[in-house]
Amino acid sequence: MMDGASQSLAIQPISGALGAEVSGIDLARMDEAAFAAIHQAFLDHQLLVFRGQGLAPADYVALARRFGAPAEYPFAKGLEGFPEITMIAKEADQTSNFGGMWHSDTTYKPDPPKATMLKAVETPPAGGDTLFACQYRAYETLSDGMKAVLRGLKGVSSSAKNASALRTAHLATGSMSASEKAADVLTASHPAVRRHPETGRLALYVNRSHTVAFEGMTEAESAPLLDYLFEHQVQPEFTARVRWEPGTVVIWDNRCMQHCAVNDYDGHRREMWRITLEGQVPDGV
Ligand code: SIN
């Protein structure tokens, strides 16, 4: 609980590993004290969920700017008049979805986004939830021997890996408008264990959608260890699940967690507005 204008702000964890639901706040009108509390909660819980936020596009962009600088998504155009907002939609007649495999956003960029915001605009009657997994816990629960091995490795990410095939198929259907860069293949290498620039904690930083190999090794050499890590890092004890309704707004920290959009709502439309916030080149240990 807070004083003054932030009196009714309440932060309730949603799982043992990560995430909190924040109530008693209008995101379009929050004062500096409330924002400071929410920013600290973002660092503490990695994922914040807000309900009933009727944010118009301009208010949504203004909110994003309080957390950081909106970044351009390299593979899709933004909303008309609001290039910072990418519409992510699955139409009722589509079967593939966007982001339907565990990942941290755009790790194939040299400076992947620090955070992502999603606002639910239209949701199916059931399904369409998003799963999140804490990568601090994924790292901290490894053996000392494995931690030492991983601290010396870099993971190579490619936008051409399998999630990108899903994305391309989805863009081709026209539910998202492809940018002129949609055909490009982007690659980047990052420490397999990254130090969070604000909390100082260590997080596992490879992901099934984008990481193709360890730097200096072949894909075949890398696969056994990567496959082990891809399973380890999303076990149920590290996760939280968000159920969406129109007006739900979420912000998550890409530097220490992964997410996966559950594709279980064929026959119904789902529309989200996404803003990513610029990040920095990840530090190793
Ligand atoms: C994404 O991967 O950014 C999309 C998540 C979602 O639609 O739930």
Side-chain angles (χ1 to χ4, degrees):
M1 292 295 217
M2 309 277 303
D3 292 332
S6 315
Q7 211 162 18
S8 61
L9 185 70
I11 297 168
Q12 180 66 39
I14 59 172
S15 88
L18 80 165
E21 190 148 330
V22 183
S23 57
I25 191 77
D26 176 350
L27 290 174
R29 296 162 174 271
M30 92 185 129
D31 61 19
E32 279 309 312
F35 178 71
I38 285 172
H39 189 263
Q40 188 58 51
F42 166 70
L43 294 177
D44 293 343
H45 298 281
Q46 306 148 58
L47 159 73
L48 298 180
V49 182
F50 306 88
R51 304 289 182 187
Q53 303 292 327
L55 289 173
D59 290 332
Y60 187 35
V61 173
L63 172 67
R65 289 191 190 285
R66 296 185 80 167
F67 284 96
E72 186 196 353
Y73 178 59
F75 296 109
K77 285 184 183 152
L79 287 188
E80 190 69 41
F82 297 95
E84 304 91 343
I85 302 176
T86 303
M87 186 185 81
I88 294 176
K90 182 185 171 208
E91 304 297 338
D93 62 354
Q94 289 183 304
T95 53
S96 70
N97 74 333
F98 177 92
M101 184 180 285
W102 282 105
H103 64 287
S104 178
D105 282 329
T106 56
T107 58
Y108 44 76
K109 288 178 66 178
D111 52 349
K114 73 170 189 178
T116 299
M117 301 172 70
L118 272 192
K119 171 180 155 69
V121 176
E122 186 174 346
T123 54
D129 298 354
T130 306
L131 307 175
F132 296 88
C134 175
Q135 298 306 293
Y136 291 140
R137 290 225 175 165
Y139 175 72
E140 288 160 3
T141 52
L142 292 168
S143 65
D144 290 344
M146 180 61 81
K147 286 176 181 162
V149 168
L150 292 174
R151 286 199 296 260
L153 294 176
K154 285 187 158 190
V156 181
S157 286
S158 170
S159 63
K161 207 184 169 192
N162 39 23
S164 307
L166 275 182
R167 180 194 65 224
T168 307
H170 199 62
L171 289 171
T173 64
S175 65
M176 294 170 63
S177 53
S179 81
E180 55 282 358
K181 297 181 195 150
D184 289 358
V185 174
L186 306 180
T187 59
S189 288
H190 299 300
V193 179
R194 82 176 281 189
R195 187 177 294 283
H196 193 290
E198 292 182 87
T199 67
R201 292 177 70 185
L202 300 181
L204 187 56
Y205 198 61
V206 294
N207 71 90
R208 188 184 287 281
S209 288
H210 306 317
T211 309
V212 290
F214 292 111
E215 195 174 79
M217 297 187 202
T218 65
E219 290 187 21
E221 287 168 340
S222 307
L225 181 49
L226 282 177
D227 285 343
Y228 168 76
L229 295 172
F230 295 156
E231 293 297 318
H232 165 80
Q233 66 189 167
V234 298
Q235 57 193 273
E237 291 75 14
F238 304 159
T239 67
R241 182 174 188 126
V242 172
R243 168 93 194 112
W244 300 92
E245 55 203 26
T248 300
V249 171
V250 161
I251 180 166
W252 69 78
D253 191 332
N254 281 304
R255 300 166 293 190
C256 54
M257 59 188 296
Q258 296 194 24
H259 58 283
C260 173
V262 180
N263 187 17
D264 60 351
Y265 56 97
D266 284 0
H268 298 281
R269 187 171 192 280
R270 178 182 187 268
E271 177 181 332
M272 299 280 167
W273 289 354
R274 185 170 98 145
I275 300 178
T276 55
L277 300 178
E278 277 178 12
Q280 60 193 80
V281 174
D283 290 326
V285 181

